[in-house]
Amino acid sequence: MAAPRNLAGKVALITGASRGIGLAVAKALAREGAKLVITGRDQKALQAAERALKQALRGKRALAPRILSCTTDVREPKSVQALFADIKKDFPRLDILINNAGISHAMAEVERLPIQIWREVIETDLTGMFLVTQGALPLLRRGGTIVNNLSMAATHVFAGQSAYCAAKHGALGFTRTLREELRPRGIRVIALMPGATDTAIWNQFWPEAPRQRMLRPETVAQAILDALLLPPESTVEEITLMPTAGAL
Ligand SMILES: NC(=O)c1ccc[n+]([C@@H]2O[C@H](COP(=O)([O-])OP(=O)(O)OC[C@H]3O[C@@H](n4cnc5c(N)ncnc54)[C@H](OP(=O)(O)O)[C@@H]3O)[C@@H](O)[C@H]2O)c1
């Protein structure tokens, strides 16, 4: 007998789902029966992710996933508007929003950090989260959940990573404010703070980092899934997930 699907019929939007943590979350949610909207800037990478998702569920006909892939740049208001126009054509509502799209930057102390890099990181990791959340709110109902993928950099600082730390600290303030605003509407808002996770983002600032000491993206996805599956009257407001080996 097929196992019950805990997210059957739910619609989940995952930004930055073409690889890394976002793709792992998409796989975990699809396995539970969720319908997916996945985004990223690189159309080919997004198409490859869609194929990978279908491959992961191959042979499980009951789980044939419904996937809408949208090429979106979360920094651009017009691109985000186009995303929600596409979503509304296919789905009447959203149940889950995973704000995951994010970038880091090459190590550089404040004195030498180019303004263009500062802007790119703040616009992606902070303004992008605001824009996507604002677009999603009219589609979210009581019982819905927003998960904002922050980082240890939301509460800790790392020299040479000022734009990333500033964006993630700001995103934590945004997340906590949003949670208070959405309590009366019965929408859960979760701040996810993973430690080092083995994805391509490390190539942006520390390519030789010891990958064997990191979390796997699938483990982060499992933590999100566990939070999503809590009974509706309860929530876990902040998740700090660390490698057993500790911080790098
Ligand atoms: N890996 C870690 O150690 C770690 C730890 C804590 C938190 N995080 C956070 O986890 C999230 C995912 O990171 P990851 O490690 O999985 O990195 P990743 O493998 O580099 O994936 C990043 C994803 O975000 C997308 N993206 C980047 N800029 C975008 C933009 N402007 N608009 C839309 N999509 C965009 C990328 O696709 P395109 O490039 O095609 O747009 C990709 O799908 C980030 O917010 C990161 O800060 C990571």
Side-chain angles (χ1 to χ4, degrees), residues 16-22 40-42 72-75 100-103 124 149-151 164 168 194-197 199-202 204:
S18 55
R19 60 173 186 266
I21 295 172
R41 288 168 301 175
D42 179 339
T72 306
D73 187 334
V74 298
R75 296 170 297 183
N100 170 77
I103 56 169
T124 306
N149 191 2
L150 308 172
S151 164
Y164 188 68
K168 295 293 186 177
T197 306
T199 73
I201 205 169
W202 286 86
Q204 298 170 21

Side-chain angles (χ1 to χ4, degrees), residues 2-3 5 30 33 57 59-65:
R5 291 178 292 145
L57 300 176
K60 301 179 186 169
R61 272 192 62 179
L63 282 181

Side-chain angles (χ1 to χ4, degrees), residues 45-122:
L46 205 55
Q47 285 166 347
E50 184 173 335
R51 285 195 296 277
L53 279 165
K54 288 180 173 157
Q55 178 75 19
L57 300 176
R58 212 161 56 120
K60 301 179 186 169
R61 272 192 62 179
L63 282 181
R66 176 125 176 253
I67 303 171
L68 174 64
S69 302
C70 298
T71 310
T72 306
D73 187 334
V74 298
R75 296 170 297 183
E76 296 295 335
K78 284 203 171 114
S79 182
V80 174
Q81 278 166 18
L83 164 68
F84 285 100
D86 284 349
I87 292 175
K88 283 175 199 160
K89 279 185 218 150
D90 277 35
F91 301 111
R93 52 157 225 287
L94 278 178
D95 302 286
I96 299 163
L97 166 62
I98 313 284
N99 274 314
N100 170 77
I103 56 169
S104 181
H105 57 93
M107 299 297 273
E109 292 185 359
V110 171
E111 210 174 349
R112 291 179 220 297
L113 186 72
I115 178 67
Q116 190 199 339
I117 302 288
W118 171 270
R119 284 200 173 119
E120 271 177 23
V121 176
I122 300 287

